[in-house]
């Protein structure tokens, strides 16, 4: 309650300030370097150790280096000065207060599987590794919700839910932390049927940059619907650690479907595959997953995961439901696929066959990297309206070939979201060229009515695209929100804005 009051007062005060003078200087400072220096962190270290215990703090070179990067192509300039492992919300809050007093930047760290450089360290900062906060707290099977600490990973949660006949379907492939998934607005292969983190987070507990503790929907609140004021939960989902540290998440969960069936089918052309997806969705078929792989991606997974799928544009599909409903869905999808010249479906209903298929899909990032040993990977992430997807994908393939990249394409095409995975030489100017390509593609998606990022976030590399996407008025509102909540700019500075 207290923190909500503080927040609303802050919002009121900023809403009266037009964007000139102080706020614009602040906007400029957002991208400037860190606000502190080494000696301040050394000063903070003792006080932090007094809170979390000296075993739960490290300034060792190796530990700091490990916490300086994620899975993205971004090369860290430096490491954090200190890594801290809190175990409770109260510890997080106290550590944040110390950092605030020292004007020390804070970088929240989940499992580091992010693809946009969101956790990249900077010297003078304190990194907070949240993986020791890994308890499943409250499970309400009768209400279909669960509250977890931020370090619980998606597989750990599903392991816990399995005994209750429930599951949490958001699946970014990597075994990411749920705090990190909420922070990036993650989704993945099941979003067509179940939505993304945006639709599945009901409430968050967040430690704000002044150390106060916010419950975005009110403490203990978990109704199915809600129209009480601004949606603060939604504000924090996808905020990439720039507004506060998520210390608890209340999530929607689902009953295990009676039956799941997966299939693979291949096509003569990319267009035929993607058009099939568009038609399946336009028929309103409640498909759970529908994933596209171009022929290079199929080839890479065949080699990496020891499969022998036909090397051609391919769809991986999955249906969830009762036997009867799945049967009728399969028939309709079969007709659509045949109309587009697709090959016969290969079906898998046994768990181990399905797991093998989706494991191959999830390993595609590593399968692609293995095509060019020693390379650096970059994944694009545009998302466009379904009707625009065939054109955007075909134009993108032209660009990739013209610019001479080594690449694979995979897509959560049921959402209009696809990834080009570029395998770049670490030396030379390929990384520069790839950044250029990211911007060409981002602009194409935006002008097609889409977004530069469907699920990975803005991080470090898409700040310019964000400005173009939301426009001057939009970006100013975002900067004002950031300034209201984090006036000292200590919460993951330099990211997103
Ligand atoms: C092979 C592979 C496949 C992937 N596929 C997908 C996919 O299909 N869909 C998808 O959405 N993503 C995908 N990703 C990206 C990644 O898994 C997601 O972005 C995931 O949500 C990151 O979670 P994390 O715990 O690893 O976060 P991290 O990488 O640790 O952090 C990501 C961002 O969140 C912030 N953060 C982390 N924890 C917190 C917290 N508790 N409070 C506040 N901020 C926090 C960090 O500061 C950072 O800005 C993939 C990644 C890999 C490596
Ligand atoms: C570093 O921080 C200390 C303590 O706040 C301050 O006295 C000193 O002037 C700072 N040094 C630089 C170079 O900013
Ligand atoms: C620090 O870590 C240790 C072991 O990992 C743990 O037992 C302890 O409770 C932690 N916290 C404090 C305040 O010491
Ligand atoms: C974060 O801490 C956990 C221990 O809780 C550790 O296993 C993990 O490797 C750490 N993350 C990094 C990037 O080192
Ligand atoms: C508020 O946002 C959360 C997270 O995006 C979402 O799950 C919830 O449905 C939203 N609530 C309303 C009333 O729109």
């Amino acid at each position: 309650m207290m923190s909500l009051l503080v927040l609303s007062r802050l919002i009121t005060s900023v809403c009266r300030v037009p964007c000139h003078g102080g706020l614009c200087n602040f906007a400029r400072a957002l991208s400037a370097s860190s606000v502190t220096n080494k000696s301040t962190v050394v000063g903070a270290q003792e006080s932090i150790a007094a809170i979390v215990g000296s075993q739960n703090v490290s300034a060792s070179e190796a530990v700091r280096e490990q916490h300086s990067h994620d899975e993205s192509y971004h090369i860290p300039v430096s490491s954090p000065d200190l890594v801290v492992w809190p175990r409770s919300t109260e510890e997080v809050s106290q550590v944040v207060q110390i950092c605030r007093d020292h004007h020390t930047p804070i970088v929240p760290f989940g499992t580091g599987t992010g693809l946009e450089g969101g956790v990249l360290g900077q010297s003078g900062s304190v990194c907070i590794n949240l993986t020791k906060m890994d308890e499943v707290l409250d499970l309400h099977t009768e209400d279909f919700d669960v509250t977890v600490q931020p370090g619980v990973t998606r597989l750990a949660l599903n392991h816990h839910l399995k005994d209750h006949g429930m599951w949490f379907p958001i699946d970014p492939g990597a075994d990411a932390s749920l705090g990190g998934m909420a922070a990036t607005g993650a989704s993945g292969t099941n979003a067509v049927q179940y939505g993304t983190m945006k639709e599945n987070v009901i409430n968050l507990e967040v430690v704000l940059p002044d150390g106060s503790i916010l419950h975005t929907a009110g403490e203990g609140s978990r109704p199915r619907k809600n129209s009480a004021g601004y949606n603060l939960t939604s504000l924090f989902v996808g905020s990439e650690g720039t507004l506060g540290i998520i210390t608890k998440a209340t999530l929607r969960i689902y009953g295990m479907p009676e039956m799941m069936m997966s299939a693979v089918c291949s096509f003569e052309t990319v267009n035929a595959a993607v058009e099939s997806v568009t038609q399946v969705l336009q028929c309103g078929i409640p498909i759970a997953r529908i994933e596209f792989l171009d022929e290079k991606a199929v080839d890479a997974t065949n080699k990496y995961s020891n499969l022998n799928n036909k090397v051609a544009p391919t769809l991986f599909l999955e249906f969830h439901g009762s036997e009867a409903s799945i049967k009728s869905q399969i028939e309709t999808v079969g007709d659509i696929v045949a109309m587009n010249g697709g090959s016969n479906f290969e079906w898998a209903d046994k768990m181990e066959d399905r797991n093998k298929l989706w494991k191959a899909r999830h390993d595609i990032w590593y399968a692609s990297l293995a095509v060019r040993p020693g390379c650096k990977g970059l994944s694009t992430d545009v998302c466009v309206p379904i009707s625009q997807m065939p054109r955007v994908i075909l134009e993108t393939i032209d660009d990739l070939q013209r610019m001479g990249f080594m690449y694979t394409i995979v897509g959560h095409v049921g959402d209009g979201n696809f990834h080009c995975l570029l395998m770049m030489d670490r030396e030379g100017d390929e990384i520069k060229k790839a950044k250029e390509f990211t911007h060409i593609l981002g602009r194409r998606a935006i002008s097609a009515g889409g977004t530069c990022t469907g699920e990975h976030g803005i991080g470090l590399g898409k700040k310019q695209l964000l400005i173009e996407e939301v426009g001057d008025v939009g970006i100013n509102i975002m900067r004002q929100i950031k300034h209201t909540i984090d006036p000292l700019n200590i919460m993951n500075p330099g990211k997103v804005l």
Side-chain angles (χ1 to χ4, degrees), residues 198-201 226 231 233-234 237 252:
K198 279 267 185 232
E199 287 81 32
N200 287 286
V201 177
N226 177 342
N231 193 337
T233 309
S234 196
V237 175
R252 287 182 214 284

Side-chain angles (χ1 to χ4, degrees), residues 92-105:
V92 173
S93 165
Q94 289 174 33
V95 169
V96 167
Q97 286 174 50
I98 292 168
C99 291
R100 177 204 58 191
D101 292 345
H102 289 79
H103 290 208
T104 299

Side-chain angles (χ1 to χ4, degrees), residues 352-363:
E352 58 200 82
D353 294 339
R354 286 196 300 108
N355 284 350
K356 198 172 153 199
L357 182 75
W358 292 107
K359 171 94 170 61
R361 167 63 190 86
H362 286 340
D363 281 343

Side-chain angles (χ1 to χ4, degrees), residues 41-283:
V41 176
V42 171
Q45 179 167 357
E46 272 178 36
S47 334
I48 290 175
I51 290 160
V52 296
S54 54
Q55 314 102 295
N56 303 315
V57 181
S58 173
S60 96
E61 182 78 38
V63 168
R64 289 167 43 225
E65 197 282 328
Q66 270 182 45
H67 288 83
S68 68
H69 61 84
D70 54 14
E71 294 269 337
S72 72
Y73 67 97
H74 293 286
I75 298 159
V77 199
S78 55
S79 307
D81 281 15
L82 202 65
V83 179
V84 183
W85 287 264
R87 293 183 173 257
S88 67
T89 303
E90 290 63 38
E91 285 187 4
V92 173
S93 165
Q94 289 174 33
V95 169
V96 167
Q97 286 174 50
I98 292 168
C99 291
R100 177 204 58 191
D101 292 345
H102 289 79
H103 290 208
T104 299
I106 300 164
V107 181
F109 203 110
T111 48
T113 67
L115 294 174
E116 298 298 340
V119 297
L120 247 66
Q122 49 176 299
S123 81
S125 67
V126 168
C127 174
I128 303 197
N129 179 330
L130 291 148
T131 55
K132 286 190 181 172
M133 292 177 69
D134 61 354
E135 274 180 63
V136 176
L137 298 170
D138 295 306
L139 172 61
H140 301 107
T141 51
E142 67 286 16
D143 296 325
F144 296 89
D145 66 60
V146 67
T147 299
V148 297
Q149 286 192 313
V152 176
T153 67
R154 111 189 133 77
L155 289 179
L157 175 60
N158 276 320
H159 185 75
H160 187 96
L161 295 176
K162 205 170 145 204
D163 295 340
H164 303 271
M166 317 280 299
W167 73 312
F168 181 68
I170 314 305
D171 174 12
D175 189 20
S177 74
L178 290 156
M181 286 170 61
T184 56
S187 49
T189 55
N190 280 314
V192 206
Q193 182 164 347
Y194 302 93
T196 70
M197 288 305 276
K198 279 267 185 232
E199 287 81 32
N200 287 286
V201 177
I202 301 171
N203 199 348
L204 291 172
E205 181 188 82
V206 184
V207 171
L208 297 176
D210 67 355
S212 59
I213 298 164
L214 167 72
H215 296 269
T216 54
E219 191 164 2
S221 172
R222 50 187 183 86
R224 294 305 280 179
K225 56 188 219 185
N226 177 342
S227 64
Y230 300 143
N231 193 337
L232 297 181
T233 309
S234 196
L235 176 61
F236 282 84
V237 175
S239 61
E240 299 183 52
T242 63
L243 298 179
I245 301 177
I246 296 167
T247 47
K248 266 182 209 165
T250 303
L251 308 168
R252 287 182 214 284
I253 53 176
Y254 298 77
M256 274 293 197
E258 181 186 313
M259 190 179 181
M260 296 191 184
M261 261 184 110
S262 301
V264 179
C265 64
S266 59
F267 295 81
E268 294 288 321
T269 63
V270 170
N271 198 44
V274 179
E275 286 289 357
S276 304
V277 175
T278 313
Q279 291 161 18
V280 166
L281 294 168
Q282 282 164 351
C283 288

Side-chain angles (χ1 to χ4, degrees), residues 361-487:
R361 167 63 190 86
H362 286 340
D363 281 343
I364 222 157
W365 170 252
Y366 302 103
S368 302
L369 298 184
V371 170
R372 189 175 190 184
C375 71
K376 192 100 187 148
L378 179 151
S379 172
T380 66
D381 182 36
V382 298
C383 185
V384 295
I386 304 289
S387 62
Q388 301 295 305
M389 189 172 51
R391 174 181 66 83
V392 171
I393 292 187
L394 292 177
E395 289 178 10
T396 301
I397 292 175
D398 281 348
D399 281 345
L400 286 165
Q401 289 177 346
R402 182 173 46 78
M403 295 177 84
F405 287 114
M406 284 185 79
Y407 69 93
T408 57
I409 298 180
V410 295
H412 311 303
V413 281
D415 307 322
N417 183 202
F418 67 92
H419 308 301
C420 307
L421 310 180
L422 309 185
M423 293 85 94
M424 305 171 297
D425 193 358
R426 282 169 187 268
E427 317 291 327
D429 61 1
E430 278 189 24
I431 294 189
K432 197 172 143 233
K433 209 167 67 173
K435 287 184 189 164
E436 204 180 297
F437 167 74
T438 310
H439 281 78
I440 295 173
L441 175 55
R443 289 184 182 122
R444 175 175 298 130
I446 293 168
S447 68
T451 169
C452 66
T453 176
E455 56 181 22
H456 296 163
I458 297 292
L460 286 171
K462 300 206 189 91
K463 294 194 273 187
Q464 177 56 35
L465 287 170
L466 177 66
I467 296 173
E468 294 172 26
E469 187 168 321
V470 301
D472 288 345
V473 176
I475 204 77
N476 274 330
I477 292 284
M478 288 191 190
R479 284 173 180 157
Q480 290 177 47
I481 291 172
K482 166 74 172 168
H483 183 59
T484 299
I485 297 176
D486 185 17

